[in-house]
Amino acid sequence: AERLACHLVGLGARAGVLVGVCLPRTSDLIVALLAVLKTGAAYVPIDPGYPRERVAYLLEDSNAAVLVTTSEHNPLAGSAGVEVVDVRAVLGSAGDGFQRRLGVGVRPGDAAYVIYTSGSTGRPKGVVIEHRQTVAMLTWAGSVFGPEVLAETLASTSVCFDLSVFEIFAPLTVRATVTLAAGNALDLIEDRAGFGHVTLVNTVPSAAAELLAAGAIPPRAATINLAGEPLPVELVR
């Protein structure tokens, strides 16, 4: 993250600047998000599966200066106007930028990330979330759930939704583990051994019902957060 952050600073990333991040849910995504925050800039999450037109709109509307992606997932291949950074190329370079800390100062009112609405009732709108708001949420999460519950948190929500901030940063702030699902929470059905140590799952009631029916709720998952749909009493039982 330090190495990538140093590279981004060289491209102008700083407080007040927005950096697009278009990566699948892998460790590269976590590195990229941390790197952007280390520069003082704010990240704009972009799903690699989005249509090219939506990606172009998000970058144009946000006025993002840089797009962090890979050659495989670059949605703007052949396009001009945005500085494209291949995260794999930077992390695989022989540079020594990672050996020094940036020491960038971040103020509570600085933007941390910008998430766009679905745009179902018009053009998508970017919602700017500041560091103080993010810190307030993460402080609450740490006090309510604690390190034991967050010990191995499943990150299965698209980075384009705000729940991903909880799934990724809440465990990291209490020195816990983030376990990444490539698809969604239903990945637990296909790889029960790989997710066997998960302690916290966030999903919707319909997906939880599928997990329950398949016997795929991890045995250590004492906490399951459900939202977004009506919650049947029978499912709770």
Side-chain angles (χ1 to χ4, degrees):
E2 287 287 337
R3 173 177 285 179
L4 180 58
C6 288
H7 185 83
L8 293 175
V9 166
L11 297 175
R14 62 186 184 279
V17 171
L18 300 185
V19 175
V21 176
C22 184
L23 292 166
R25 201 177 301 112
T26 68
S27 58
D28 285 345
L29 173 63
I30 309 300
V31 170
L33 299 181
L34 290 172
V36 173
L37 294 174
K38 284 174 177 287
T39 71
Y43 69 86
V44 181
I46 299 173
D47 192 315
Y50 277 169
R52 184 184 179 93
E53 293 76 14
R54 180 175 173 88
V55 174
Y57 171 77
L58 297 184
L59 292 173
E60 179 183 2
D61 186 72
S62 66
N63 197 30
V66 181
L67 175 65
V68 179
T69 184
T70 66
S71 57
E72 179 183 359
H73 296 96
N74 181 7
L76 298 177
S79 299
V82 178
E83 184 78 35
V84 177
V85 173
D86 186 331
V87 64
R88 297 310 308 163
V90 174
L91 298 182
S93 67
D96 61 356
F98 68 97
Q99 295 178 357
R100 62 184 176 88
R101 294 191 176 276
L102 292 170
V104 175
V106 178
R107 297 168 299 182
D110 289 339
Y113 59 91
V114 178
I115 286 183
Y116 273 76
T117 62
S118 64
S120 56
T121 58
R123 296 176 71 83
K125 299 174 180 62
V127 179
V128 181
I129 303 298
E130 300 170 350
H131 278 274
R132 58 186 162 196
Q133 297 159 344
T134 310
V135 169
M137 186 272 288
L138 294 176
T139 301
W140 168 83
S143 64
V144 170
F145 296 96
E148 290 187 5
V149 173
L150 295 168
E152 189 160 329
T153 299
L154 180 69
S156 61
T157 302
S158 168
V159 73
C160 299
F161 292 92
D162 57 1
L163 181 56
S164 66
V165 179
F166 174 96
E167 292 180 338
I168 293 171
F169 295 109
L172 293 182
T173 54
V174 296
R175 302 182 182 183
T177 300
V178 181
T179 299
L180 298 164
N184 53 50
L186 295 179
D187 287 4
L188 296 175
I189 297 175
E190 301 298 326
D191 186 7
R192 303 185 193 192
F195 296 107
H197 296 290
V198 166
T199 56
L200 186 148
V201 176
N202 296 300
T203 188
V204 294
S206 56
E210 292 290 328
L211 294 175
L212 188 63
I217 293 178
R220 294 183 60 202
T223 300
I224 301 176
N225 291 327
L226 301 175
E229 300 170 355
L231 179 57
V233 173
E234 187 56 36
L235 176 60
V236 175
R237 291 182 180 142

